Amino acid sequence: MKLSQKVQEMQFSPIRKFNVYAIEAKAKGKKVYHLNIGQPDIKTPKAFMEAVKNFDSEVLAYAESGGLVQLQDAIAKYFQRFGMDIQREDVLITNGGSEALSMIYTCLLDYGDEVLVPEPFYTNYQTFISSAGGNIVPITTNAEEGYRYAFADRIEKVITDKTRAISLVNPGNPTGTILSREEMRVIADVAKKHDLWIIADEVYREFAYDGREMTSFGQLEDIKERVIIVDSVSKRFSACGARIGCIVSKNEELMANAMKLAQGRLCCPTLDMIGATALYELDPSYFNDVRAEYESRRDAVYEEIMKIPGVVCQKPGGAFYIMVKLPVESSEDFLVWLLTEFEDKGETVMYAPIQGFYGTKGLGKDELRIAYVLNKEDLVRGVELMRLGLEKYKALGHK
């Protein structure tokens, strides 16, 4: 019996594949600081659990495939705060942002179609695009330029007659790069010129630092028919386990066809949607303290990173990730060594090697991503362990 070529060509998570080494390290009594995965430690707002506890129904029945209307309305009102004319019919509730992305690519791509994605990119994009029959075409960025990619000539250079969309995360995962309005305009103009969709994964929207403006591609009126926004409660409200996301678009044809997929999987979990409704109804001031906390963590991590000799790192403008280029040949080899051979006072550290976040072979071998989702003391200690480990790694003759 034969498995599909599509699934065989997919990769396992480039983050989770190193978990076995962390498990072994803990079994030996080491403490491991996990800087590798974007699971926030910020408390989920109590409003979620209170709403679920207050739900009272004799039968937990199927919900509508497009989602509970009260959640659709709450999300529409949320987007209206940003000056966007989003109504209930423009919102389709999904099982997390992941299902939203999977549905979108399925709606847009035929076999062999291409999606432009700035690299390094969120690794599951490869899984979702491949399963829809498409191919990623990378827009290559680099650490020295802060992973910026909104250059018309570089984007147009990789457009072909098979290109259907530009797919991006803003603010970025894994880079933390945040687009300015001018950069958004560049991408919008390229999309208009070449008749492309813009798939805007904006799940980190509130996490914009240093006084940067929170923005959305949905605010660009002249491209509203070609913009598809992905949203989620996971990171915004620290509710990753709720698995509630959505597709937001003014394109009626897209939304009608996405509904076919939504009906095929029947519905999203009712209780999660009840809780998510309460989250979207929170006062916008909720984000002030959360944003300030993440910005403070970013600053602490960045300050500690810059103590590492030979490092290349630019302070990111958003999300809760920071990219680091180390003076090593392989960040994967260094990570395995940290988890298996190194400790300081019984402690070591785990980060996410970034090579698997690139579509272009050979890139990212010396890079890593840190998720600053722990308290500042633990974050600073984790980066200190990287620095101490690197000193010993080099002293032992490793490159």
Side-chain angles (χ1 to χ4, degrees):
M1 292 182 288
K2 181 179 180 296
L3 297 176
S4 74
Q5 194 66 27
K6 287 187 302 183
V7 76
Q8 292 183 73
E9 290 177 353
M10 292 177 188
Q11 65 174 351
F12 287 99
S13 168
I15 301 174
R16 296 178 186 272
K17 71 178 183 180
F18 295 99
N19 286 356
V20 62
Y21 298 106
I23 292 170
E24 290 175 359
K26 292 175 185 177
K28 294 177 181 177
K30 294 182 187 178
K31 178 177 180 178
V32 179
Y33 288 83
H34 283 275
L35 310 183
N36 57 307
I37 194 164
Q39 170 58 61
D41 69 345
I42 301 294
K43 291 182 179 179
T44 307
K46 291 183 178 179
F48 182 96
M49 293 303 180
E50 290 172 355
V52 172
K53 290 176 182 177
N54 291 332
F55 178 76
D56 186 19
S57 177
E58 291 185 354
V59 178
L60 191 58
Y62 287 123
E64 289 296 320
S65 295
L68 296 180
V69 294
Q70 58 263 46
L71 176 55
Q72 290 175 298
D73 288 343
I75 291 173
K77 289 178 182 177
Y78 162 83
F79 278 98
Q80 289 165 14
R81 298 177 196 163
F82 298 94
M84 297 159 60
D85 179 25
I86 299 299
Q87 305 300 324
R88 179 189 299 172
E89 60 270 20
D90 305 320
V91 180
L92 191 154
I93 308 304
T94 60
N95 288 293
S98 297
E99 187 185 48
L101 288 163
S102 182
M103 285 183 171
I104 291 165
Y105 296 131
T106 299
C107 286
L108 302 189
L109 302 178
D110 287 317
Y111 284 96
D113 283 346
E114 298 173 348
V115 181
L116 306 186
V117 184
E119 67 175 353
F121 48 75
Y122 174 52
T123 57
N124 280 333
Y125 277 37
Q126 185 73 65
T127 300
F128 301 143
I129 292 172
S130 296
S131 64
N135 299 305
I136 284 183
V137 175
I139 303 169
T140 303
T141 69
N142 61 72
E144 288 74 15
E145 292 182 331
Y147 302 99
R148 310 215 72 83
Y149 55 88
F151 305 101
D153 57 339
R154 298 185 194 180
I155 298 173
E156 290 184 313
K157 184 179 179 181
V158 293
I159 292 175
T160 72
D161 59 358
K162 294 183 178 181
T163 307
R164 298 291 173 262
I166 302 172
S167 192
L168 52 89
V169 189
N170 183 44
N173 175 12
T175 65
T177 302
I178 186 168
L179 296 170
S180 66
R181 283 198 175 270
E182 292 75 20
E183 289 174 316
M184 291 169 63
R185 186 69 258 169
V186 169
I187 293 169
D189 289 344
V190 170
K192 287 174 65 175
K193 179 180 177 181
H194 296 274
D195 193 24
L196 304 177
W197 295 90
I198 296 176
I199 305 166
D201 185 340
E202 298 180 348
V203 301
Y204 300 96
R205 186 180 302 106
E206 269 73 20
F207 307 137
Y209 311 131
D210 306 315
R212 289 178 173 86
E213 181 184 12
M214 289 179 287
T215 57
S216 170
F217 273 92
Q219 295 169 317
L220 303 180
E221 188 69 19
D222 61 315
I223 60 167
K224 64 181 181 180
E225 292 295 318
R226 67 178 68 251
V227 170
I228 311 168
I229 297 171
V230 175
D231 207 62
S232 169
V233 303
S234 293
K235 306 307 169 74
R236 174 173 296 116
F237 299 107
S238 192
C240 296
R243 307 317 303 140
I244 294 296
C246 62
I247 300 171
V248 178
S249 178
K250 299 295 290 185
N251 190 294
E252 294 181 9
E253 184 179 12
L254 167 78
M255 297 301 279
N257 281 278
M259 182 59 77
K260 298 175 185 177
L261 301 172
Q263 290 174 348
R265 58 87 166 110
L266 302 182
C267 67
C268 293
T270 297
L271 293 180
D272 282 356
M273 288 194 285
I274 291 291
T277 301
L279 294 178
Y280 275 104
E281 290 176 343
L282 288 172
D283 189 275
S285 61
Y286 159 76
F287 296 108
N288 294 340
D289 290 342
V290 176
R291 183 166 45 248
E293 174 64 20
Y294 278 129
E295 186 171 344
S296 177
R297 292 179 180 188
R298 178 207 59 174
D299 292 344
V301 168
Y302 179 75
E303 181 179 344
E304 194 67 23
I305 287 170
M306 297 313 292
K307 296 178 182 178
I308 301 174
V311 74
V312 176
C313 178
Q314 294 197 25
K315 187 183 291 188
F320 43 61
Y321 305 107
I322 189 166
M323 292 278 291
V324 181
K325 188 173 183 178
L326 287 178
V328 296
E329 287 189 352
S330 171
S331 63
E332 292 191 358
D333 291 348
F334 179 46
L335 175 60
V336 172
W337 181 85
L338 283 171
L339 293 171
T340 59
E341 303 294 333
F342 172 77
E343 65 175 71
D344 180 69
K345 300 176 183 177
E347 299 178 332
T348 190
V349 63
M350 187 174 187
Y351 54 75
I354 218 69
Q355 187 174 355
F357 290 66
Y358 279 89
T360 303
K361 289 185 178 181
L363 294 184
K365 291 184 67 175
D366 56 355
E367 295 175 88
L368 60 94
R369 185 195 74 175
I370 291 172
Y372 44 94
V373 293
L374 306 178
N375 65 72
K376 281 192 288 187
E377 182 179 343
D378 285 351
L379 289 169
V380 169
R381 174 57 175 161
V383 177
E384 179 188 36
L385 287 166
M386 284 175 51
R387 175 172 56 81
L388 296 174
L390 184 61
E391 291 174 359
K392 188 172 182 180
Y393 189 71
K394 292 287 190 179
L396 292 172
H398 298 288
K399 295 183 179 180

